[in-house]
Amino acid sequence: MEKLIRRIIETKNPTVVGLDPTLDYIPAQIREEAFAAYGKTLQSAAYACLLFNKGIIDAICDIVPAVKPQCAYYEQFGWQGVKCLAETIAYAQEKGMYVITDGKRNDIGSTMQAYAAAHLGFVEIAQTYCTPFGADALTVNGYLGTDGIQPLLDVINEKPDKGIFVLVKTSNPSSGELQDRLLDGQTVYEAMGRMCEQWGSNSVGKYGYSQVGAVVGATYPAQLAELRAKLPHTFFLVPGYGAQGGGAKDVAGAFDAHGLGAIVNSSRAVLTAWKKEGFSAEDYAQAARAEAIRMREDITSVIAPIGA
Amino acid sequence: MEKLIRRIIETKNPTVVGLDPTLDYIPAQIREEAFAAYGKTLQSAAYACLLFNKGIIDAICDIVPAVKPQCAYYEQFGWQGVKCLAETIAYAQEKGMYVITDGKRNDIGSTMQAYAAAHLGFVEIAQTYCTPFGADALTVNGYLGTDGIQPLLDVINEKPDKGIFVLVKTSNPSSGELQDRLLDGQTVYEAMGRMCEQWGSNSVGKYGYSQVGAVVGATYPAQLAELRAKLPHTFFLVPGYGAQGGGAKDVAGAFDAHGLGAIVNSSRAVLTAWKKEGFSAEDYAQAARAEAIRMREDITSVIAPIGA
């Protein structure tokens, strides 16, 4: 998590761009190039996504600290799409970006070891160490309790730059069906948040945050502010800004007095910025950069100066 | 889910073999063949897994109704491993087996649409329809509530043979940290189970079970029997038998008066049966078959005659 916070301070930008490619978001000239090369196949779709992602990364890597590829949008194009995910992660890291793989993985201990190796660590193949995906952070679901989380801690605690983000209060309309219900007067999301503080208690770094972060949606600003106060060592990944309806004022409560404590995600608004007036399909990368700057200005206008 | 139940009745066998390949489980002759072909790489590991899986599938496909590949064990070998997952699913289906992809996927609605297409449906690429993974069923995590489940229902409700299994009470030691806590006198796992009944209420088929199943661990037999009584239309996928400690008596409570209502998983005991006395590495497939038969006899000895 340390590297993410350093990058946020360097860029003075507490935002992350979600790389959630669907063919509708990709300009026609890229799609046509891919179809010409590989037909109308999973391979061509994956190739189009990779070209598109590289264009976006090139356009934002000097001003945005991190990207967040969402596994589902790669898995929809089969193993070819998952290959594109691996290539996207490597490319973004080459360009200096912090990569959060949004997989919301969860399982029992022995299986979680395999997920931890897959996404954040390495795997041993006859004394040769290979890196399957090699992201910097992974989103996870804590429904299974501590022994579904411990294998991740075993991998990341040796590497302070790595992190996990546990789902606490998600941004979707029905998130309250389970998460808002009361356990002895405490909501399920608060109980999960307190487990995050516990899981992170051995890894609090120099900025005051541990390697165990939480996902808390921008669409529930009151809960966001409540959790910021209750979980002082837990860094927040905040989805739901922009297309899902959250605005700058809604996310302000996620930040601390040093403009830290959270990173706000936007996917659709950045990836489809070229569809707005004043841009064209050829300009998709510049349009993404313009939207990323607009978002940075919007959010930094309502929080304390970053790193002050 | 209909096809799964038909297969269980045809084979008189309510068990599923978990295909969770790790290199330690794979006999040396297969590993060496893979290393000779592709070096000590993610590709060779994935190739070894595929050879191993095909051997297991060939040995059990006439007597075991289903296999359950666990995504983590494929993702640990990168996109090459995920390609092996796709090839394993296709091979098992060619051999007539029902395939449950154990991914425990979860996300908000729009992203869950992509997971549903990836694992159970198809994706449209410029008016061409492609099948990314094409499993028969998928395990999912319901922490996000209804709008994380609805996109799956939209895909499977058109195809009665398909299904999902939602995590309700998991088999791991710390599952109770959240799942056993009380919400207004009702446990979290019961609340999740009742949501499964609700999500499945429109898809109850001729055997009395809906397309929305639940994952309930063999390691908590009292809760398994409690949930069988409370969730009459929810088919159970039961992990935790064998290596995790659950025995036949522990899973008996998952079944109804017709010997239906559940399918019990075993992974390690079947995949590593060749390591036991009386077998050799060359016999790994026959050893798996012998263990699958032993498990079938063990479980059918404590439940009502299947389909009677």
Side-chain angles (χ1 to χ4, degrees), chain A residues 23 35 40-42 45 70-73 75-79 82-83 103-108 110-111 114-115 118-119 123-126 128 130-133 141 143-147 167-168 170 172-175 177-179 181-184 186 188-189 191-192 195 244, chain B residues 23 35 40-42 45 70-73 75-79 82-83 103-108 110-111 114-115 118-119 123-126 128 130-133 141 143-147 167-168 170 172-175 177-179 181-184 186 188-189 191-192 195 244:
Chain A
L23 289 177
F35 295 155
K40 291 171 180 176
T41 60
L42 296 171
Q70 159 56 256
C71 292
Y73 293 98
E75 291 177 21
Q76 72 177 336
F77 299 126
W79 65 262
V82 177
K83 184 179 180 204
K104 299 184 175 64
R105 296 301 193 250
N106 63 107
D107 216 291
I108 65 170
S110 51
T111 305
Y115 275 134
H119 293 286
V123 65
E124 190 207 316
I125 297 170
T128 300
C130 300
T131 302
F133 290 98
N141 184 318
Y143 186 76
L144 289 89
T146 297
D147 48 39
L167 297 190
V168 168
T170 58
N172 56 310
S174 70
S175 71
E177 283 175 14
L178 179 69
Q179 298 163 29
R181 293 190 64 181
L182 292 177
L183 300 160
D184 313 320
Q186 185 185 54
V188 168
Y189 70 77
M192 188 64 81
M195 288 199 271
Q244 284 183 55
Chain B
L23 289 177
F35 295 155
K40 291 172 181 175
T41 60
L42 297 171
Q70 160 55 256
C71 291
Y73 293 98
E75 292 177 19
Q76 71 177 337
F77 298 127
W79 65 263
V82 176
K83 184 179 179 203
K104 300 184 175 65
R105 296 300 194 251
N106 63 108
D107 215 290
I108 65 169
S110 52
T111 305
Y115 276 134
H119 294 285
V123 65
E124 189 207 318
I125 297 170
T128 301
C130 300
T131 301
F133 291 97
N141 184 317
Y143 186 76
L144 288 88
T146 297
D147 48 38
L167 297 190
V168 168
T170 58
N172 55 310
S174 70
S175 72
E177 284 176 10
L178 179 69
Q179 297 163 30
R181 292 190 64 180
L182 292 177
L183 300 160
D184 312 321
Q186 186 185 55
V188 168
Y189 70 76
M192 188 65 80
M195 288 199 272
Q244 285 183 55

Side-chain angles (χ1 to χ4, degrees), chain B residues 253-300:
Chain B
F255 291 87
D256 66 21
H258 307 285
L260 295 175
I263 189 160
V264 179
N265 181 73
S266 177
S267 303
R268 215 177 319 169
V270 175
L271 303 185
T272 65
W274 61 271
K275 295 186 177 186
K276 290 194 296 192
E277 213 178 310
F279 290 106
S280 70
E282 284 68 30
D283 297 332
Y284 82 96
Q286 295 98 304
R289 183 181 177 88
E291 171 59 21
I293 290 169
R294 191 207 62 74
M295 182 187 178
R296 179 190 68 193
E297 300 307 308
D298 188 36
I299 291 171
T300 54

Side-chain angles (χ1 to χ4, degrees), chain B residues 57-93:
Chain B
I57 291 166
D58 287 342
I60 62 170
C61 62
D62 61 325
I63 55 165
V64 174
V67 287
K68 181 178 75 63
Q70 160 55 256
C71 291
Y73 293 98
Y74 299 87
E75 292 177 19
Q76 71 177 337
F77 298 127
W79 65 263
Q80 297 91 336
V82 176
K83 184 179 179 203
C84 168
L85 171 64
E87 291 167 336
T88 297
I89 293 168
Y91 190 79
Q93 288 177 332

Side-chain angles (χ1 to χ4, degrees), chain A residues 190-256:
Chain A
E190 182 181 340
M192 188 64 81
R194 293 198 184 276
M195 288 199 271
C196 292
E197 283 278 310
Q198 178 64 32
W199 293 326
S201 59
N202 292 325
S203 69
V204 177
K206 67 175 177 174
Y207 300 104
Y209 292 99
S210 82
Q211 290 180 266
V212 180
V215 177
V216 188
T219 45
Y220 298 101
Q223 285 88 338
L224 196 50
E226 171 205 344
L227 288 167
R228 177 71 291 144
K230 287 179 174 169
L231 311 176
H233 307 103
T234 303
F235 203 88
F236 292 169
L237 170 62
V238 183
Y241 172 89
Q244 284 183 55
K249 282 182 192 161
D250 297 318
V251 302
F255 291 87
D256 67 21

Side-chain angles (χ1 to χ4, degrees), chain B residues 10-305:
Chain B
E10 284 162 14
T11 57
K12 298 268 184 272
N13 187 353
T15 74
V16 50
V17 168
L19 294 177
D20 304 352
T22 73
L23 289 177
D24 285 349
Y25 294 179
I26 299 179
Q29 74 274 15
I30 293 178
R31 277 182 284 148
E32 294 307 324
E33 180 185 337
F35 295 155
Y38 301 111
K40 291 172 181 175
T41 60
L42 297 171
Q43 189 181 2
S44 67
Y47 181 64
C49 292
L50 185 62
L51 292 177
F52 179 69
N53 284 348
K54 285 183 172 179
I56 299 281
I57 291 166
D58 287 342
I60 62 170
C61 62
D62 61 325
I63 55 165
V64 174
V67 287
K68 181 178 75 63
Q70 160 55 256
C71 291
Y73 293 98
Y74 299 87
E75 292 177 19
Q76 71 177 337
F77 298 127
W79 65 263
Q80 297 91 336
V82 176
K83 184 179 179 203
C84 168
L85 171 64
E87 291 167 336
T88 297
I89 293 168
Y91 190 79
Q93 288 177 332
E94 271 172 44
K95 298 285 173 173
M97 302 191 85
Y98 192 85
V99 179
I100 303 166
T101 295
D102 194 356
K104 300 184 175 65
R105 296 300 194 251
N106 63 108
D107 215 290
I108 65 169
S110 52
T111 305
M112 209 64 205
Q113 281 178 12
Y115 276 134
H119 294 285
L120 298 173
F122 57 82
V123 65
E124 189 207 318
I125 297 170
Q127 284 93 53
T128 301
Y129 296 91
C130 300
T131 301
F133 291 97
D136 299 297
L138 178 70
T139 63
V140 301
N141 184 317
Y143 186 76
L144 288 88
T146 297
D147 48 38
I149 299 294
Q150 190 59 49
L152 297 154
L153 303 182
D154 295 341
V155 166
I156 67 175
N157 282 352
E158 294 169 12
K159 297 178 179 171
D161 285 342
K162 301 231 172 192
I164 59 172
F165 291 95
V166 182
L167 297 190
V168 168
K169 173 65 182 166
T170 58
S171 61
N172 55 310
S174 70
S175 72
E177 284 176 10
L178 179 69
Q179 297 163 30
D180 290 358
R181 292 190 64 180
L182 292 177
L183 300 160
D184 312 321
Q186 186 185 55
T187 57
V188 168
Y189 70 76
E190 182 181 341
M192 188 65 80
R194 293 200 183 275
M195 288 199 272
C196 292
E197 283 278 309
Q198 178 64 31
W199 293 325
S201 58
N202 292 324
S203 70
V204 176
K206 66 176 179 175
Y207 300 104
Y209 292 99
S210 82
Q211 288 179 265
V212 179
V215 177
V216 188
T219 45
Y220 298 102
Q223 285 88 337
L224 197 49
E226 171 205 344
L227 288 168
R228 177 72 291 142
K230 288 179 174 168
L231 311 177
H233 307 104
T234 303
F235 204 87
F236 292 168
L237 170 62
V238 182
Y241 172 89
Q244 285 183 55
K249 282 181 192 162
D250 297 317
V251 302
F255 291 87
D256 66 21
H258 307 285
L260 295 175
I263 189 160
V264 179
N265 181 73
S266 177
S267 303
R268 215 177 319 169
V270 175
L271 303 185
T272 65
W274 61 271
K275 295 186 177 186
K276 290 194 296 192
E277 213 178 310
F279 290 106
S280 70
E282 284 68 30
D283 297 332
Y284 82 96
Q286 295 98 304
R289 183 181 177 88
E291 171 59 21
I293 290 169
R294 191 207 62 74
M295 182 187 178
R296 179 190 68 193
E297 300 307 308
D298 188 36
I299 291 171
T300 54
S301 73
V302 298
I303 66 174

